mmCIF file of all heavy atoms in Angstrom:
data_model
loop_
_atom_site.group_PDB
_atom_site.id
_atom_site.type_symbol
_atom_site.label_atom_id
_atom_site.label_comp_id
_atom_site.label_asym_id
_atom_site.label_seq_id
_atom_site.Cartn_x
_atom_site.Cartn_y
_atom_site.Cartn_z
ATOM 1 N N ILE A 27 -12.294 5.795 -14.705
ATOM 2 C CA ILE A 27 -12.586 4.367 -14.360
ATOM 3 C C ILE A 27 -11.412 3.537 -14.811
ATOM 4 O O ILE A 27 -10.925 2.675 -14.036
ATOM 5 C CB ILE A 27 -13.885 3.884 -15.013
ATOM 6 C CG1 ILE A 27 -15.078 4.521 -14.296
ATOM 7 C CG2 ILE A 27 -14.046 2.378 -14.998
ATOM 8 C CD1 ILE A 27 -16.456 4.309 -15.004
ATOM 9 N N LYS A 28 -10.914 3.703 -16.056
ATOM 10 C CA LYS A 28 -9.775 2.921 -16.541
ATOM 11 C C LYS A 28 -8.569 3.176 -15.695
ATOM 12 O O LYS A 28 -7.771 2.241 -15.376
ATOM 13 C CB LYS A 28 -9.481 3.271 -17.977
ATOM 14 C CG LYS A 28 -10.501 2.679 -18.932
ATOM 15 C CD LYS A 28 -10.133 2.927 -20.377
ATOM 16 C CE LYS A 28 -11.246 2.735 -21.363
ATOM 17 N NZ LYS A 28 -11.703 1.532 -21.795
ATOM 18 N N GLU A 29 -8.346 4.447 -15.319
ATOM 19 C CA GLU A 29 -7.124 4.797 -14.500
ATOM 20 C C GLU A 29 -7.164 4.045 -13.161
ATOM 21 O O GLU A 29 -6.160 3.438 -12.739
ATOM 22 C CB GLU A 29 -7.073 6.263 -14.291
ATOM 23 C CG GLU A 29 -5.914 6.784 -13.459
ATOM 24 C CD GLU A 29 -5.894 8.275 -13.252
ATOM 25 O OE1 GLU A 29 -6.959 8.904 -13.391
ATOM 26 O OE2 GLU A 29 -4.835 8.788 -12.883
ATOM 27 N N ILE A 30 -8.315 4.088 -12.472
ATOM 28 C CA ILE A 30 -8.461 3.426 -11.179
ATOM 29 C C ILE A 30 -8.283 1.939 -11.348
ATOM 30 O O ILE A 30 -7.662 1.276 -10.547
ATOM 31 C CB ILE A 30 -9.731 3.791 -10.488
ATOM 32 C CG1 ILE A 30 -9.805 5.295 -10.168
ATOM 33 C CG2 ILE A 30 -9.962 2.964 -9.266
ATOM 34 C CD1 ILE A 30 -11.120 5.768 -9.681
ATOM 35 N N GLU A 31 -8.952 1.371 -12.371
ATOM 36 C CA GLU A 31 -8.821 -0.145 -12.561
ATOM 37 C C GLU A 31 -7.344 -0.466 -12.763
ATOM 38 O O GLU A 31 -6.902 -1.493 -12.240
ATOM 39 C CB GLU A 31 -9.689 -0.533 -13.735
ATOM 40 C CG GLU A 31 -11.164 -0.479 -13.400
ATOM 41 C CD GLU A 31 -12.086 -0.808 -14.675
ATOM 42 O OE1 GLU A 31 -11.608 -0.630 -15.817
ATOM 43 O OE2 GLU A 31 -13.212 -1.155 -14.409
ATOM 44 N N ASN A 32 -6.582 0.313 -13.556
ATOM 45 C CA ASN A 32 -5.203 0.073 -13.804
ATOM 46 C C ASN A 32 -4.367 0.161 -12.465
ATOM 47 O O ASN A 32 -3.543 -0.660 -12.171
ATOM 48 C CB ASN A 32 -4.674 1.013 -14.873
ATOM 49 C CG ASN A 32 -3.249 0.658 -15.258
ATOM 50 O OD1 ASN A 32 -2.955 -0.504 -15.502
ATOM 51 N ND2 ASN A 32 -2.411 1.656 -15.272
ATOM 52 N N ILE A 33 -4.687 1.258 -11.709
ATOM 53 C CA ILE A 33 -3.966 1.426 -10.472
ATOM 54 C C ILE A 33 -4.162 0.168 -9.532
ATOM 55 O O ILE A 33 -3.237 -0.349 -8.994
ATOM 56 C CB ILE A 33 -4.387 2.684 -9.729
ATOM 57 C CG1 ILE A 33 -3.869 3.905 -10.504
ATOM 58 C CG2 ILE A 33 -3.937 2.724 -8.316
ATOM 59 C CD1 ILE A 33 -4.469 5.265 -10.015
ATOM 60 N N LEU A 34 -5.458 -0.218 -9.353
ATOM 61 C CA LEU A 34 -5.790 -1.320 -8.464
ATOM 62 C C LEU A 34 -5.220 -2.647 -9.010
ATOM 63 O O LEU A 34 -4.827 -3.496 -8.230
ATOM 64 C CB LEU A 34 -7.310 -1.385 -8.296
ATOM 65 C CG LEU A 34 -7.928 -0.241 -7.501
ATOM 66 C CD1 LEU A 34 -9.447 -0.341 -7.513
ATOM 67 C CD2 LEU A 34 -7.372 -0.237 -6.095
ATOM 68 N N ALA A 35 -5.176 -2.851 -10.358
ATOM 69 C CA ALA A 35 -4.668 -4.103 -10.885
ATOM 70 C C ALA A 35 -3.185 -4.241 -10.685
ATOM 71 O O ALA A 35 -2.634 -5.345 -10.510
ATOM 72 C CB ALA A 35 -4.980 -4.145 -12.381
ATOM 73 N N ASN A 36 -2.491 -3.105 -10.528
ATOM 74 C CA ASN A 36 -1.046 -3.072 -10.348
ATOM 75 C C ASN A 36 -0.612 -2.651 -8.981
ATOM 76 O O ASN A 36 0.566 -2.295 -8.758
ATOM 77 C CB ASN A 36 -0.364 -2.196 -11.420
ATOM 78 C CG ASN A 36 -0.574 -2.715 -12.802
ATOM 79 O OD1 ASN A 36 -0.206 -3.832 -13.105
ATOM 80 N ND2 ASN A 36 -1.162 -1.889 -13.687
ATOM 81 N N ALA A 37 -1.536 -2.646 -8.043
ATOM 82 C CA ALA A 37 -1.292 -2.127 -6.716
ATOM 83 C C ALA A 37 -0.601 -3.086 -5.786
ATOM 84 O O ALA A 37 -0.882 -4.326 -5.879
ATOM 85 C CB ALA A 37 -2.585 -1.607 -6.062
ATOM 86 N N LYS A 38 0.323 -2.601 -5.012
ATOM 87 C CA LYS A 38 0.904 -3.392 -3.931
ATOM 88 C C LYS A 38 0.384 -2.740 -2.665
ATOM 89 O O LYS A 38 0.706 -1.626 -2.340
ATOM 90 C CB LYS A 38 2.410 -3.323 -4.008
ATOM 91 C CG LYS A 38 3.060 -4.005 -2.812
ATOM 92 C CD LYS A 38 4.593 -3.888 -2.859
ATOM 93 C CE LYS A 38 5.165 -4.545 -1.638
ATOM 94 N NZ LYS A 38 6.611 -4.310 -1.535
ATOM 95 N N ILE A 39 -0.492 -3.456 -1.958
ATOM 96 C CA ILE A 39 -1.096 -2.933 -0.752
ATOM 97 C C ILE A 39 -0.026 -3.124 0.343
ATOM 98 O O ILE A 39 0.348 -4.275 0.662
ATOM 99 C CB ILE A 39 -2.398 -3.646 -0.401
ATOM 100 C CG1 ILE A 39 -3.391 -3.601 -1.564
ATOM 101 C CG2 ILE A 39 -3.046 -2.949 0.852
ATOM 102 C CD1 ILE A 39 -3.739 -2.264 -2.135
ATOM 103 N N VAL A 40 0.374 -2.038 0.971
ATOM 104 C CA VAL A 40 1.390 -2.124 2.047
ATOM 105 C C VAL A 40 0.694 -2.346 3.355
ATOM 106 O O VAL A 40 -0.243 -1.584 3.784
ATOM 107 C CB VAL A 40 2.174 -0.771 2.096
ATOM 108 C CG1 VAL A 40 3.209 -0.829 3.186
ATOM 109 C CG2 VAL A 40 2.863 -0.577 0.735
ATOM 110 N N ARG A 41 1.082 -3.374 4.041
ATOM 111 C CA ARG A 41 0.545 -3.696 5.346
ATOM 112 C C ARG A 41 1.374 -2.871 6.385
ATOM 113 O O ARG A 41 2.607 -2.684 6.206
ATOM 114 C CB ARG A 41 0.709 -5.178 5.650
ATOM 115 C CG ARG A 41 0.087 -6.092 4.677
ATOM 116 C CD ARG A 41 -1.447 -6.190 5.008
ATOM 117 N NE ARG A 41 -2.045 -7.097 4.017
ATOM 118 C CZ ARG A 41 -3.067 -6.722 3.240
ATOM 119 N NH1 ARG A 41 -3.567 -5.538 3.313
ATOM 120 N NH2 ARG A 41 -3.569 -7.581 2.420
ATOM 121 N N GLU A 42 0.669 -2.422 7.416
ATOM 122 C CA GLU A 42 1.350 -1.663 8.395
ATOM 123 C C GLU A 42 2.305 -2.506 9.188
ATOM 124 O O GLU A 42 2.048 -3.687 9.510
ATOM 125 C CB GLU A 42 0.339 -1.025 9.353
ATOM 126 C CG GLU A 42 -0.798 -0.292 8.695
ATOM 127 C CD GLU A 42 -0.487 0.727 7.668
ATOM 128 O OE1 GLU A 42 0.628 1.271 7.680
ATOM 129 O OE2 GLU A 42 -1.239 1.009 6.769
ATOM 130 N N SER A 43 3.463 -1.966 9.496
ATOM 131 C CA SER A 43 4.426 -2.755 10.256
ATOM 132 C C SER A 43 3.951 -2.956 11.713
ATOM 133 O O SER A 43 3.313 -2.119 12.284
ATOM 134 C CB SER A 43 5.757 -1.903 10.322
ATOM 135 O OG SER A 43 6.661 -2.517 11.210
ATOM 136 N N THR A 44 4.262 -4.125 12.198
ATOM 137 C CA THR A 44 3.817 -4.437 13.615
ATOM 138 C C THR A 44 5.033 -4.477 14.503
ATOM 139 O O THR A 44 4.922 -4.818 15.665
ATOM 140 C CB THR A 44 3.093 -5.789 13.662
ATOM 141 O OG1 THR A 44 3.944 -6.790 13.105
ATOM 142 C CG2 THR A 44 1.757 -5.697 12.908
ATOM 143 N N ASN A 45 6.183 -4.107 13.994
ATOM 144 C CA ASN A 45 7.392 -4.178 14.827
ATOM 145 C C ASN A 45 7.358 -3.072 15.897
ATOM 146 O O ASN A 45 6.678 -2.090 15.772
ATOM 147 C CB ASN A 45 8.683 -4.146 14.021
ATOM 148 C CG ASN A 45 8.902 -2.824 13.327
ATOM 149 O OD1 ASN A 45 8.406 -1.780 13.776
ATOM 150 N ND2 ASN A 45 9.623 -2.848 12.208
ATOM 151 N N ASN A 46 8.079 -3.341 16.955
ATOM 152 C CA ASN A 46 8.086 -2.372 18.074
ATOM 153 C C ASN A 46 9.135 -1.350 17.906
ATOM 154 O O ASN A 46 9.347 -0.459 18.790
ATOM 155 C CB ASN A 46 8.236 -3.103 19.378
ATOM 156 C CG ASN A 46 7.077 -4.028 19.741
ATOM 157 O OD1 ASN A 46 5.934 -3.645 19.373
ATOM 158 N ND2 ASN A 46 7.296 -5.129 20.309
ATOM 159 N N ASP A 47 9.927 -1.335 16.806
ATOM 160 C CA ASP A 47 11.055 -0.446 16.618
ATOM 161 C C ASP A 47 10.532 0.940 16.264
ATOM 162 O O ASP A 47 11.306 1.916 16.372
ATOM 163 C CB ASP A 47 11.972 -0.899 15.523
ATOM 164 C CG ASP A 47 12.723 -2.204 15.898
ATOM 165 O OD1 ASP A 47 12.858 -2.408 17.091
ATOM 166 O OD2 ASP A 47 13.126 -2.896 15.030
ATOM 167 N N LYS A 48 9.324 1.088 15.860
ATOM 168 C CA LYS A 48 8.770 2.374 15.416
ATOM 169 C C LYS A 48 9.633 3.011 14.387
ATOM 170 O O LYS A 48 10.232 4.077 14.593
ATOM 171 C CB LYS A 48 8.508 3.259 16.607
ATOM 172 C CG LYS A 48 7.305 2.873 17.408
ATOM 173 C CD LYS A 48 6.743 4.081 18.134
ATOM 174 C CE LYS A 48 5.367 3.843 18.550
ATOM 175 N NZ LYS A 48 4.649 4.983 18.909
ATOM 176 N N VAL A 49 9.767 2.332 13.269
ATOM 177 C CA VAL A 49 10.548 2.846 12.140
ATOM 178 C C VAL A 49 9.590 3.442 11.127
ATOM 179 O O VAL A 49 8.501 2.913 10.864
ATOM 180 C CB VAL A 49 11.353 1.703 11.470
ATOM 181 C CG1 VAL A 49 12.049 2.162 10.215
ATOM 182 C CG2 VAL A 49 12.351 1.118 12.533
ATOM 183 N N VAL A 50 9.951 4.623 10.572
ATOM 184 C CA VAL A 50 9.074 5.298 9.596
ATOM 185 C C VAL A 50 9.024 4.466 8.363
ATOM 186 O O VAL A 50 9.986 3.981 7.780
ATOM 187 C CB VAL A 50 9.623 6.676 9.299
ATOM 188 C CG1 VAL A 50 8.760 7.316 8.171
ATOM 189 C CG2 VAL A 50 9.673 7.574 10.481
ATOM 190 N N GLY A 51 7.758 4.250 7.847
ATOM 191 C CA GLY A 51 7.550 3.559 6.596
ATOM 192 C C GLY A 51 6.220 4.031 6.061
ATOM 193 O O GLY A 51 5.563 4.966 6.570
ATOM 194 N N ILE A 52 5.757 3.459 4.957
ATOM 195 C CA ILE A 52 4.464 3.815 4.373
ATOM 196 C C ILE A 52 3.395 3.520 5.355
ATOM 197 O O ILE A 52 3.343 2.469 5.933
ATOM 198 C CB ILE A 52 4.266 3.117 3.036
ATOM 199 C CG1 ILE A 52 5.299 3.656 2.040
ATOM 200 C CG2 ILE A 52 2.848 3.356 2.512
ATOM 201 C CD1 ILE A 52 5.199 2.963 0.653
ATOM 202 N N GLY A 53 2.519 4.511 5.573
ATOM 203 C CA GLY A 53 1.462 4.390 6.534
ATOM 204 C C GLY A 53 1.722 4.981 7.861
ATOM 205 O O GLY A 53 0.907 5.185 8.738
#
């Protein structure tokens, strides 16, 4: 529980790219 709370408190949620270049990234 503490580990997950720490992860979520320090998380950067990556939004999926909407560009048409189709470049590899997270997600």
Side-chain angles (χ1 to χ4, degrees):
I27 288 171
K28 285 184 196 285
E29 180 182 19
I30 294 171
E31 287 174 339
N32 187 46
I33 290 168
L34 292 173
N36 295 304
K38 175 182 177 187
I39 309 300
V40 177
R41 302 279 180 235
E42 312 308 335
S43 173
T44 57
N45 66 26
N46 294 325
D47 292 337
K48 285 205 162 196
V49 175
V50 177
I52 294 178

